[in-house]
Amino acid sequence: MPRSFPASIVQVAVPTPLHGHFDYLPPTQGPLPTVGARVRVPFGRRRVVGLVVGHGQTSDLPEGRLKHIEAVLDETPLLDTPLLNLLRWAADYYHHSLGDVISTALPNNLRQGKAAMARGIERYRLTQAGQATAPDTLTRAPRQASVLHRLQTHPEGLTLEQLRADQDSEPRPALKALIDKGLVASHHQPCLEPPRVERPDAPVLNEAQQLAVSRITASLGGFTCHLLEGVTGSGKTEVYLHAIEQVLERGLQCLVLVPEIALTPQLLERFRQRLNTPIAVLHSSLNEGERHCAWLSARSGEAGVIIGTRSAVFVPWARPGLVIVDEEHDSSLKQQEGFRYHARDLAVMRGHREAVPVVLGSATPSLESLGNVERGQYQRIELPGRAGGAVAPRLKVLDVRQQFMDEGLSTALLDAMQRHLEADGQVLLFLNRRGFAPALICHDCGWVADCHRCDARMTWHAGARRLRCHHCGHETGIPVRCPSCGSALAPRGQGTERIEQALHKHFPQYPAIRIDRDSTRRKGSLESALEGVREGRYRILVGTQMLAKGHDFPNVTLAAILDADQGLFSVDFRAVERLAQTIIQVAGRSGRALRAGEVMIQTHQPDHPLLSSLLGGGYTAFARTALTERREAALPPYASLALLRAEAADAQAPLAFLEKARDHLQSLSPPGIHPWGPAPAPMERRAGRYRAHLLLHAPRRQDLQQALTPWLPELTRLPGARQVRWSIDVDPVDLT
Ligand code: ADP
Ligand code: ZN
Ligand code: ZN
C-alpha cells in the first residue's frame, strides 16, 4: 500500500530498459527540482543522470529505502511540458522505457550531465607566426608538431573535437603550449552561421504552388496535416521555402525532417541562400559540440529553422510554427532498433499536440499517408506538373525474357544508352545490390559460398578482394578453388561493381562512376561524386538506393532499373510499394531540365499487374491498386500490426518463447487481436543467432494498444524469457 510522506517525492525517469519512473527524496539542500530538469541520482550501484517527470506525495517504497537526489543539474526545465508529454506518449505507444526515450531525445553530452549552455564553438587557427613555422622545427615536441601540421592544412581552423578525432592523444596540452608560444590563437564563433546578407530572388510560384503555400499558411496556428504530393521537380521544396518564410515573418520556428541521405550540402545551401534566419542542422555526422549547439539554439528560439534527420523530431523549440517531413515515404524515418519509432508519425503527433500544421511531402506518398487522406485525416495538396517547364519522363518496360544479357544489361538497354550518350545526355543505372556479385558458386559441383553465421550468401567484393556477408558483416578471403571439388569458382549475378566494370568495356569513351555505400565510405566522397556528375565529368552513373533520393541530376536523360524482379517477389508485403517508389524516384532523376527523359525497367515479369498500373497511370494508379489489395488482405493501413521478435543462439528457444507468449496473450483474450505465428523469421539465422517472429494483427489500432499494455510486462516472467533476446516493434516497417 502506498505511503504518504511529508516532503514531496520526486519522480525521475532514468535511462534503463525498466519501464516507469523511480521515486527519490528531494535533495537535502536547495529547492525542489522542477519537472523537466535533469538530476543526478544513485541508481543501483551506479550514479546516473535522470530527468524529473513529476512530483508525488506517495511512493510504493518505504521511506527508509528511498534515496535522495544528489544534484540538480538544471534550474529551469531542459524539456518543456509539451515535449515531455510527447515523449511520454511515445514511450506508451511504442512500449519503450520512458528513460530510454528521453535519452534518445537528448544530445549525448546533455545526457551525460553537461551544462545546458550554448557557448558557441571555439576554433583554433594559426597566427602569422604559426603559419611561418615549419612543424619539423618542433622536433622535441612531436605532439605540438603534429597539431601545427594539422592546422597548416586547415587554414579555416579546427575545433578541439576535430583535432581530437585525428590525433592519437589528447591535443589540449600541445594546443595550450602552441597558444603560449603565440603560434595558435583560438577564435570564438557563434554556433550557427549568421543568415546571408544577400539572397537570390525566389522564383515566381506557379498557380498550384501558390495554392499549396496559401493552404499551408492558412492553417497556421492549429493542427492540420497536409500531404503535399508532386513528382520530383514539381517544386515542393520551393513550396516549403515560401511557407517557411511566412512562418518566420510571424516570428515562429519551423522544424524540417529529411531522410539522412537527402540532407546534402546542396539542400542546406539552398535553405541558407534563401532564408533570412540562422539554421540549426542536426544529423548523424555532427560532432558533440556542434550537436549540442544546434540543439540549444533550437530550444532557445535563436534558430528560425531546424533541419535534421529522424531524431530531430524530438528537438525542443521555443515558438512552434510548422513541421515539414520531406520524403515522408522514406523508410529511414523509421528507427529499426532500440526505441523503434517512426519520425513521420511522431511529427504528426507533435503537430497535433502542439497545435501546428504538418506538411508531409513526397513524389510517392506512403500507402499509410494515402490511407489517411482517404479517411479524411490528412488534406491532400497536389502539384501536378513539373515546375519551370520540364517534361515528365516516359516509362517503358523491357521484357528481358529469353533476351541475351551481358552482365545484366540487355541489348535494348545498351542501344538506348548509346543513343542518349551520343546525344550528350547522362545515363543513370539503378541496382540495389552492391559488391561485384551476390554469389560465388562452383559450376561443377554446385558448392556455394554461404555465410556460416547467416542463412545468406556471401557477396563477392572485387575491389576489396573479399567475400562479405551483407547481413552480419562477416568477411573472408576469396577462395581460389572450390573447397569441395577443387574446380574453378565463378561469380553469379551482378552487383554494382560488376556493372561498373561492364560499362568500362561497353563504353570506354564515356567516364562512369559508381555510387553506393562502398564507394562513398570516405567523408566527402559522396559530395565530390555528385558534383562530378552535375559538372558532367561523369556520363554514366551506376548505384544503389543512394542514387534514388533527393539528388538533382538535370542532365540525366535515361534512367534504368536493372532488376525490377527483386521487388516483385519478396516475403515483405511492402516490397512492391518500395519498388514502385524506387521506380518513380529513379525516374524523377531523369529529364529534370528541359530535356525529355526516358526510363527503362528490365524485368522478367512484364505483365505484373502492379507494374502495369504503375506504367499505365503512374504512382496514383499504382497506389489505388495497391490500396485495394491491402484492404482485401486486411493489411496496413487497414489494420495495425505489432511484431514481437525473439532471437537466441539456440535454435529452439525463440519459437518456444514466442509460443508461450502467444498462449499467454490468448489467456488474456483481448478483443480484436489475431496472433499470426509464431514462425521462424524469413532469414532464420543471422549473425549466428536464430530468429523467430510473432505478428499481432488488429483491425483497430486501439485494440492493439490495449492488448499490448497488460501483456508485454508479463513476458519477462514467462519460462524461457531469459534464454532469448526479445523486442516489440509497433507499426513495423521491416518484416524480415
Ligand atoms: P521538388 O522539391 O519537388 O523536387 P524543387 O522545388 O526542387 O522541386 O524544384 C525543382 C526545380 O525547379 C528547382 O531547380 C527549382 O528552383 C525550380 N522551380 C521550382 N519552382 C519554380 C517556379 N515556380 N518557377 C521556376 N522554377 C521553379
Ligand atoms: Zn565444386
Ligand atoms: Zn552473415
Side-chain angles (χ1 to χ4, degrees), residues 203-206 209 230-238 270 387-388 552 592:
V204 179
L205 296 184
N206 63 36
Q209 286 173 311
V231 297
T232 314
S234 61
K236 295 185 295 297
T237 311
E238 210 48 61
R270 191 161 162 200
D552 196 5
R592 294 199 67 180

Side-chain angles (χ1 to χ4, degrees), residues 218-251:
S219 69
L220 289 173
F223 170 71
T224 310
C225 185
H226 304 277
L227 180 66
L228 179 64
E229 187 178 352
V231 297
T232 314
S234 61
K236 295 185 295 297
T237 311
E238 210 48 61
V239 169
Y240 304 152
L241 288 167
H242 278 78
I244 290 171
E245 272 171 358
Q246 304 229 1
V247 175
L248 293 175
E249 260 171 42
R250 295 172 199 214

Side-chain angles (χ1 to χ4, degrees), residues 451-456 458 469-474 686-688:
C451 175
H452 71 283
R453 308 175 69 211
C454 303
D455 294 330
M458 298 289 280
C469 173
H470 287 185
H471 304 281
C472 73
H474 175 64
R686 185 151 82 193

Side-chain angles (χ1 to χ4, degrees), residues 381-396:
I381 307 178
E382 204 186 355
L383 296 182
R386 291 186 157 207
V391 189
R394 280 168 292 138
L395 268 61
K396 184 173 176 199

Side-chain angles (χ1 to χ4, degrees), residues 434 450-453 458-459 461 464-479 518 521:
R434 63 202 168 82
D450 283 322
C451 175
H452 71 283
R453 308 175 69 211
M458 298 289 280
T459 298
H461 285 255
R465 295 168 193 244
R466 303 287 283 170
L467 291 181
R468 285 190 185 136
C469 173
H470 287 185
H471 304 281
C472 73
H474 175 64
E475 283 199 23
T476 66
I478 299 176
D518 298 317
R521 234 169 262 276

Side-chain angles (χ1 to χ4, degrees), residues 189-307:
Q189 290 179 336
C191 80
L192 301 184
E193 256 183 51
R196 307 275 165 88
V197 181
E198 284 184 38
R199 280 181 298 281
D201 289 336
V204 179
L205 296 184
N206 63 36
E207 216 172 303
Q209 286 173 311
Q210 273 175 28
L211 189 65
V213 172
S214 61
R215 281 179 59 184
I216 294 165
T217 49
S219 69
L220 289 173
F223 170 71
T224 310
C225 185
H226 304 277
L227 180 66
L228 179 64
E229 187 178 352
V231 297
T232 314
S234 61
K236 295 185 295 297
T237 311
E238 210 48 61
V239 169
Y240 304 152
L241 288 167
H242 278 78
I244 290 171
E245 272 171 358
Q246 304 229 1
V247 175
L248 293 175
E249 260 171 42
R250 295 172 199 214
L252 304 175
Q253 290 172 285
C254 298
L255 172 63
V256 184
L257 301 181
V258 297
E260 182 80 43
I261 198 83
L263 189 50
T264 56
Q266 296 86 260
L267 181 78
L268 274 182
E269 180 59 20
R270 191 161 162 200
F271 272 63
R272 290 219 160 99
Q273 278 183 356
R274 292 280 296 281
L275 299 172
N276 186 16
T277 188
I279 298 177
V281 185
L282 286 135
H283 57 81
S284 64
S285 54
L286 295 181
N287 65 42
E288 292 294 320
E290 290 169 328
R291 182 186 310 279
H292 182 95
C293 236
W295 195 89
L296 288 172
S297 53
R299 175 170 170 269
S300 70
E302 182 194 344
V305 171
I306 305 137
I307 178 164

Side-chain angles (χ1 to χ4, degrees), residues 272-469:
R272 290 219 160 99
Q273 278 183 356
R274 292 280 296 281
L275 299 172
N276 186 16
T277 188
I279 298 177
V281 185
L282 286 135
H283 57 81
S284 64
S285 54
L286 295 181
N287 65 42
E288 292 294 320
E290 290 169 328
R291 182 186 310 279
H292 182 95
C293 236
W295 195 89
L296 288 172
S297 53
R299 175 170 170 269
S300 70
E302 182 194 344
V305 171
I306 305 137
I307 178 164
T309 49
R310 192 168 63 210
S311 65
V313 73
F314 301 119
V315 171
W317 52 357
R319 298 182 308 278
L322 173 69
V323 180
I324 295 171
V325 183
D326 191 28
E327 312 280 0
E328 66 85 29
H329 64 278
D330 196 283
S331 54
S332 76
L333 290 165
K334 172 80 198 291
Q335 165 87 28
Q336 306 277 18
E337 53 198 40
F339 169 32
R340 296 172 168 80
Y341 64 93
H342 203 303
R344 174 199 59 217
D345 298 344
L346 281 180
V348 174
M349 185 45 76
R350 189 165 186 185
H352 179 67
R353 301 179 72 102
E354 301 193 19
V356 301
V358 178
V359 180
L360 308 179
S362 178
T364 52
S366 62
L367 295 182
E368 274 78 8
S369 293
L370 291 172
N372 277 317
V373 170
E374 215 177 59
R375 278 193 285 271
Q377 307 264 358
Y378 295 178
Q379 308 298 315
R380 186 161 175 270
I381 307 178
E382 204 186 355
L383 296 182
R386 291 186 157 207
V391 189
R394 280 168 292 138
L395 268 61
K396 184 173 176 199
V397 162
L398 293 183
D399 178 1
V400 297
R401 285 174 301 181
Q402 297 164 11
Q403 296 294 305
F404 172 72
M405 304 280 276
D406 189 19
E407 302 290 21
L409 306 169
S410 62
T411 312
L413 178 59
L414 288 169
D415 290 346
M417 289 174 70
Q418 186 72 39
R419 191 156 40 79
H420 282 265
L421 290 166
E422 279 171 8
D424 275 339
Q426 284 175 321
V427 173
L428 182 158
L429 303 179
F430 172 86
L431 179 64
N432 213 9
R433 217 186 281 130
R434 63 202 168 82
F436 186 79
L440 182 63
I441 71 166
C442 172
H443 194 55
D444 282 343
C445 77
W447 177 88
V448 182
D450 283 322
C451 175
H452 71 283
R453 308 175 69 211
C454 303
D455 294 330
R457 305 273 155 86
M458 298 289 280
T459 298
W460 176 341
H461 285 255
R465 295 168 193 244
R466 303 287 283 170
L467 291 181
R468 285 190 185 136
C469 173

